[in-house]
Amino acid sequence: MNDMRAALYDSYGPPEVLYEGRVPVPVRGPGEVLVRVHAASVNGGELYGRAGRVRLVTGRRFPQRTGIDFAGEVAEVDAGVTGLRAGDRVWGLLGRSTFGSAAEYVSVRPRRIAYAPGNVTLTEAASLPAGGTTSLTALRDKAALRAGERLLVRGASGGVGSVAVQLGKALGAHVTGLASAKNLDFVRDLGADEALDHRATPLADLDRYDVIMDTVGTEHRALRRRLAPGGRLVSIAFDIDHPARSIGYVVGSAVHGRGRVRFFSGNPKHHLFAELTAYVERGDLRPVVDTVHPLSDIATAHRALEAGGVRGKHVIRLV
């Protein structure tokens, strides 16, 4: 086993730059676990990376890789690692700003993985690590969402939003989802108490909410005005077309005013994955897979996510 299949691109550009190629199998380092990837999901940040919109982070060395989360089974375990053995079903995320899970193998530290839920397939499980840990961190740890509070999820049908709706209900909130008209029934089926068409509902006409979770990254000022007294706005994205203005507003709001905007970039550890597993196995959270693609169709998956209107996640199956 010298090389493996992986999603690659040799230049920044549209989805068509992606292709299935071959790279060396990662060498498991000291204290690491080699995981045979069964499936990985496609996340919004990967679209920006592939398009070259964050090249200050991704650099100019090619070929580059894509994919941040994965579900699979342990292939090899370093002798110094305890609690894991070959054949264990696991899921997890690569490190911050690290891409490459859309491949047959990844080598990771044990803190980056946990046992995958036993009540879903690994293909289904692959839809949850990134969106699940992000939603749990945003709602529980950053916004301190409490039972009985009113939660608004913007982008409620997407890979993160569809998880946030479910977790909001599990935490006891009254959940309103903003989504496209064709996805309103879908959002209600996830458990939302209300679902609103984002095109037919100006932000200024919305009610006031204790917590707003924004997965889009624009119009923070207008969203902040929809906060109830003591309300919290958590954004997991910024306006990629106006990054300085977007980030400046977030920073300024953290210094001035009561309705602060909290922005974070997730870098979860083992305990968050383990908690996510518990939510799934209790039935509080279910995977939402829009479409399953073979690795050879990685460009199709990126193109579909860019087109919008996704329900949950596009998943790349490798096994």
Side-chain angles (χ1 to χ4, degrees):
M1 184 175 65
N2 297 317
D3 62 0
M4 65 177 183
R5 295 182 298 132
L8 305 171
Y9 55 99
D10 296 327
S11 63
Y12 294 124
E16 288 71 26
V17 301
L18 289 161
Y19 64 94
E20 178 187 317
R22 302 197 73 88
V23 296
V25 172
V27 176
R28 174 183 49 75
E32 290 188 336
V33 178
L34 185 68
V35 177
R36 184 189 183 206
V37 176
H38 281 231
S41 76
V42 180
N43 297 275
E46 296 159 42
L47 307 186
Y48 296 140
R50 184 217 71 232
R53 304 184 77 177
V54 288
R55 64 186 68 196
L56 289 178
V57 176
T58 54
R60 296 182 177 276
R61 296 184 63 181
F62 295 97
Q64 294 208 19
R65 306 269 299 276
T66 189
I68 60 172
D69 57 358
F70 57 88
E73 59 181 298
V74 174
E76 295 178 6
V77 182
D78 181 69
V81 175
T82 60
L84 289 167
R85 60 184 181 182
D88 284 344
R89 289 162 39 101
V90 295
W91 64 354
L93 277 160
L94 301 180
R96 189 192 298 274
S97 301
T98 301
F99 298 98
S101 68
E104 291 183 289
Y105 291 90
V106 294
S107 188
V108 293
R109 294 282 182 180
R111 68 175 182 269
R112 295 287 180 192
I113 59 177
Y115 294 122
N119 58 336
V120 299
T121 69
L122 288 173
T123 299
E124 293 170 327
S127 69
L128 283 171
T133 55
T134 296
S135 296
L136 194 56
T137 301
L139 296 179
R140 188 192 61 187
D141 302 337
K142 297 294 183 180
L145 179 67
R146 297 183 294 271
E149 289 193 313
R150 290 171 58 83
L151 166 67
L152 174 70
V153 179
R154 186 182 184 209
S157 68
V160 177
S162 61
V163 181
V165 169
Q166 297 180 72
L167 286 178
K169 290 303 297 180
L171 294 170
H174 179 282
V175 180
T176 299
L178 273 179
S180 61
K182 69 176 184 179
N183 286 332
L184 297 183
D185 287 341
F186 167 73
V187 172
R188 294 187 190 98
D189 185 57
L190 292 173
D193 299 282
E194 298 178 88
L196 304 175
D197 180 356
H198 71 94
R199 294 188 183 277
T201 311
L203 295 182
D205 292 346
L206 290 171
D207 290 336
R208 294 191 179 273
Y209 300 90
D210 301 294
V211 174
I212 297 175
M213 181 168 171
D214 175 39
T215 71
V216 180
T218 60
E219 301 182 272
H220 286 144
R221 189 182 303 275
L223 286 171
R224 189 180 179 192
R225 292 178 179 139
R226 306 326 302 160
L227 291 173
R232 292 85 72 198
L233 168 58
V234 184
S235 179
I236 66 163
F238 62 89
D239 187 347
I240 194 69
D241 294 318
H242 306 92
R245 183 174 68 189
S246 181
I247 295 173
Y249 181 74
V250 172
V251 172
S253 74
V255 178
H256 304 288
R258 297 178 179 177
R260 296 182 179 179
V261 180
R262 296 157 173 84
F263 175 82
F264 74 97
S265 174
N267 193 29
K269 300 297 191 296
H270 169 83
H271 73 93
L272 266 180
F273 298 119
E275 290 179 64
L276 199 64
T277 296
Y279 272 99
V280 177
E281 293 187 334
R282 286 198 304 266
D284 291 330
L285 178 60
R286 61 181 172 91
V288 182
V289 177
D290 185 300
T291 308
V292 177
H293 308 261
L295 182 61
S296 57
D297 282 350
I298 182 69
T300 301
H302 272 235
R303 192 180 306 113
L305 183 56
E306 283 189 343
V310 63
R311 294 185 175 187
K313 281 292 188 75
H314 285 272
V315 171
I316 306 300
R317 182 163 55 201
L318 290 116
V319 174

